[in-house]
Amino acid sequence: MTFSLRIKLIVPLLFIGALFAVLGAWVLNWVAEDHMRWQSVERSRLLAVAINETVEVMSELQEIRFAVEDIVASEEGISGISVVTRDPFVIWASSIHPGIDDDHASQQMLKVLMESIKQGTFGHYLLPGGDIVTFYPLLSAGYNSQNYRDRFHSRVDPQVTDQAWGHAMAQVKLSPDEYRGVVYLRLDSSAIRAGAADIFVRSGMILILAVFCICVLGYAVFHRSVLRPIGHISDTIQRQKAGETATRLALNSDDEIGVLGASFNNMLDAISERDQRLRTVVDNLPVALSLKTKDGDYQLVNDKFSLWFSDLLDVTRSNPSEAQQLRLNYEKQVRLRQTDMTFEETIAQVDGGYRHFTTTIFPLLDGGGKFTALGSASTDISERKAAEQEVRMLAYFDSLTGLPNRSLFGDRLQQALKNAERNGTYVGLLFIDLDGFKSVNDTLGHQIGDLLLEEVSLRLGQAVRSQDTVARMGGDEFTVIVVDLQADRANEDLALIANKIRSSVASPMILGEHQTFVTSSVGISIYPENTVKAEELIIQADIAMYHVKNGGRDEFQFFQPDMNTEMHERRRIEDQLRMAMENHELSIAYQPKVDTLTGELIGAEALLRWNNPLLGTVPPLKFIPIAEDCGLIIPIGEWVIETVVDTLKLWREQGLEMPRIAINLSPRQLRDQAFSQRVQSILNATGLSPDCLEFEITEGVFLQEVEHSQSSLYRLRESGVGLAIDDFGTGFSSLSYLKKLPVSSVKIDKTFVDGLSVDPVDEDIVSAIIAMAHSMHLTVVAEGVETQEQYDFLREVHCDAVQGWLTGVPMPQTNLSEWLRHRERHSEERVE
C-alpha cells in the first residue's frame, strides 16, 4: 500500500483521537469542577458543624469571633463567613468584605441571611460567578447537627431551588424551634477551579495516555484488519498490471475484509477466464493483431502475428529489415498525426515464401487524449494478390505457355516502336505458324497438342535474345518482336533468327509416349522499312507468313508490297465464301467414269463449283485452300455429301443407274474423329447403301495424315464406303503405305496421263503404277484423259477406268440426268 494511502487513513484517525481527547478533557474538567464543588459543600458543612460546636461552648462574642477567624485561617478557599443568631439578632462573627453597609453584594447576602433565619430555609447555593454559598443552621440547644446530615443533603423540589441570586444545590427546611440562627459560609470559585485543575492535570495525563494507547491500538487493529488487506489488494493489482495474472489475495479471515478478498479473487478468476476466452478468440481470428508500448516494445501479439510476422519480431538484426523499416515509418507517422493509417506490406515467412497483408496502425489514447500505445491489425491478402496476379496473367499472359498474349504483345510492340523511333533503330516482327499442328492436335488429342505448344514456346524463347519478346497470338500462331536492329544488318539478322527458329521447331519432339515432328512457316515485317504503324506491321508479317504457307511451308519470307494485293484478294474470297452456302452460290458438277474395256458407266466424281455475284466463277484451286485454312471446309464438305446422297436417291427414284459417286475429302475432315459417324447418319437418313460413295484423298494428304487418321480411314472402309488415293504418283508414293491403308483404288494423276503417246517415261510410269496396283488388288482409274490415243494406251495396259473430257465433261445434275438417259437409250438400241 502506498504512503499517501496510509497518510489518508492515519490523519482521520488522529483527528478522531484528538476529538475524543478534547471531548474527554471537557468532560473531565466538568466532572472535576463538579467534584470540587461537592467537596467544597462537604467542607462547608463540616466547618458549619465545627462552628456550631464552638458556639455551644462559647458565650462571649469576642471568643466566638476569634474561633471563627482561626477556622477561616486554617481553611483555604473561604472568602466569607458569618454567624448570626435570630433572637436576639446578633452577628457574632463576620468576615464578609467589604462592609455590609456599602457593598451591594454584602447587602444582598445579608438580605438572604435574614430570609434564611426568618423562613428556616437552609442549603448550598451556586452563585453565577462560580462561588458556593452555604446557609447552615445554627442549631438550638439539644439538637445534634449530625442528625440533619442526610436531610441537609437531600434535594428539594426544583421549583423552589432556583433563586434569582443563585442556584440551589441542596436545601432543607427546619422548624423555628430547631434552630436559633445561621452559619453563612462562602467558598471562593478560584479555589474550586484550582482544585479541579489539579484533578484535571493529574487525570488528564492518564486520559491522554489512554487516548494515545487507544489510537495506537486502534491503528494496529485497523492496520491488521484494513490497511494490510488493502495493501495486499494494491500489491495484487500492481502485479496483475505487470502481467502476473495468476496472482491472488491470501486473505483467510471470515470478516468483511475476508469476504472482500474472496470476492476480489473471484473477480480476478472471472477476469482471467474472460481474458482466456478473449485470448482464444483473438488467437483464432484470421487477423494478426499487435500492441506496442510507447517505448516501441511489443506488449501483446496474437498467434497469427507470431506466425506471420516473425520477421518483425526478430530483434537480433543490427539493421532493420525492409519490412521493419516500412513499419517504423508508418508508426512514426501515426504517432505524429494521432490518427490511423492503412497500407500494404509484404512479409518474409519462415518457410522461405512471402505473404501480403493490408495493415492498419492506430494510436491508443488515454482519457485525456494522451498517446499511450500503438495497435495494429493485419489481414492476409495473399490469396487476393495471387488472384490478382492470376487475373493479370490471364489478361496479359497465355495460360498454357506463360508467354505474353495478344494484348501484352500489342503493348510491347508499341513500346518497341517508340524506343526504335527515339534511338534510330529497326524493329523486326516475326509471325510464326506451326505446320501440321492441327493434325497432331486432332489425332493425338488436345493434351499432346498442349504439350507441343509448351515445348515450342520454350524453344522459341531459347532461339531469341533476352531483350526480344516471344508471344502467343492464339492456336498455333506465335510472334517474335526483335528490337535494337541496325538498318544495314536488319534483314540479315532477322534471317538468321528465322532460320534458328525453324531449325529449333523442326527438331523431333518427345511428347509423352509419342514422338512427333512439326515445322514452322515464318513471315517477317520490318519497322520502319515496311511501315511505322504497329497494326500494319502485324498484318504484313501475317501476309508474309501466309505466302510461305501457300508456297510449300517450312520457310521464312520477308514482306513485299505486292503481297498486299494477293492478301486482300484472299480475304475478299474468304468473306464471300462465308456467305456462299447461305446464298446458295455453291453447286456440284459431276464428271463420269467409264470402264476402259466396255465403255460402261461405273461412277462419277462430284466436283464443287462456286459462282459468286461479285467474284464470278471462282476456281476450286483458289477457294478450296482458303476454305481449308479458315475451317469452312467442314460445313461445305458436309453439304457436298448430303447433296450427293440426295441426288443419288433422286436418280434411283427416277430409274437412272449411277453405281458410285466419288467425293474429295479434305485433311480437316479426315482428322475429324466423328466424320465417319456423320457419313453413316446421312446414308441412313436416305436409305442408301454405303458402297454408293467413294472418298478420294490426295496422296500428299495420305502421307501427311496416315499416322493420325488411320483409324478414321478404317472406320470408313468397314462401313462399306470406298476409299481412293487421288493424284497417285505425285507424293512420293510408298508401297508400305499402300499396304497399310484400307484403299480400294488409286487414281493416276493427270500429269502422267498428259505424257502418254508422247513421253515414253510417262508411259513406263503409268504401266508400272497399273501393274503394282493390280498386284495389290487395287482398281486403277486414270484422270484427265482427253485424247483417243491416251484412252487406247490405257486400255492396252489394262487400266480399269478412265475419267476426262474424252468420256464426259463435268456437268450439273440436270445435264447429267439427261446424259444418263441418253446413254441408256443408246445402250438399248445397240442391244436391239
Side-chain angles (χ1 to χ4, degrees), residues 305-473:
F305 193 92
S306 301
L307 175 65
W308 292 338
F309 289 85
S310 58
D311 183 57
L312 298 184
L313 297 174
D314 185 7
V315 296
T316 60
R317 293 190 180 96
S318 57
N319 296 316
S321 66
E322 183 177 347
Q324 288 174 327
Q325 188 62 52
L326 178 65
R327 273 266 181 151
L328 291 175
N329 292 339
Y330 276 101
E331 288 174 0
K332 184 178 179 180
Q333 293 296 319
V334 171
R335 287 173 182 264
L336 292 175
R337 299 180 183 181
Q338 296 284 292
T339 184
D340 59 313
M341 297 186 71
T342 301
F343 61 97
E344 291 187 2
E345 58 183 338
T346 302
I347 304 297
Q349 303 298 296
V350 294
D351 59 1
Y354 289 87
R355 283 184 178 270
H356 305 278
F357 300 91
T358 293
T359 296
T360 298
I361 297 179
F362 49 91
L364 276 71
L365 309 178
D366 59 15
K370 185 178 179 181
F371 173 80
T372 58
L374 275 177
S376 76
S378 301
T379 303
D380 187 2
I381 58 170
S382 301
E383 291 185 2
R384 192 191 80 190
K385 284 290 186 180
E388 290 176 354
Q389 179 64 20
E390 184 177 354
V391 170
R392 181 176 179 275
M393 286 293 293
L394 292 175
Y396 296 105
F397 292 89
D398 178 58
S399 59
L400 176 63
T401 63
L403 295 175
N405 62 9
R406 184 184 295 270
S407 177
L408 183 56
F409 160 76
D411 292 341
R412 291 193 178 178
L413 181 59
Q414 292 284 2
Q415 189 61 44
L417 298 186
K418 290 179 182 179
N419 293 337
E421 181 181 7
R422 183 169 53 252
N423 301 327
T425 56
Y426 277 33
V427 174
L429 178 61
L430 281 66
F431 206 109
I432 305 164
D433 185 87
L434 301 182
D435 305 326
F437 169 74
K438 290 180 176 59
S439 174
V440 175
N441 203 39
D442 293 343
T443 56
L444 299 182
H446 293 288
Q447 184 176 3
I448 298 299
D450 290 345
L451 292 176
L452 187 147
L453 292 175
E454 291 176 6
E455 178 63 24
V456 168
S457 67
L458 291 175
R459 295 187 181 188
L460 291 177
Q462 295 169 356
V464 301
R465 303 168 302 172
S466 59
Q467 65 265 39
D468 300 331
T469 297
V470 179
R472 183 187 177 200
M473 303 298 285

Side-chain angles (χ1 to χ4, degrees), residues 731-750:
F732 307 101
S733 302
S734 171
L735 293 177
S736 63
Y737 280 129
L738 284 177
K739 184 178 180 181
K740 290 180 181 180
L741 297 175
V743 296
S744 55
S745 65
V746 295
K747 293 183 71 174
I748 301 174
D749 188 68
K750 183 178 181 300

Side-chain angles (χ1 to χ4, degrees), residues 654-665:
Q654 293 175 353
L656 300 177
E657 189 64 30
M658 175 61 72
R660 173 178 285 184
I661 300 289
I663 302 173
N664 289 284
L665 192 63

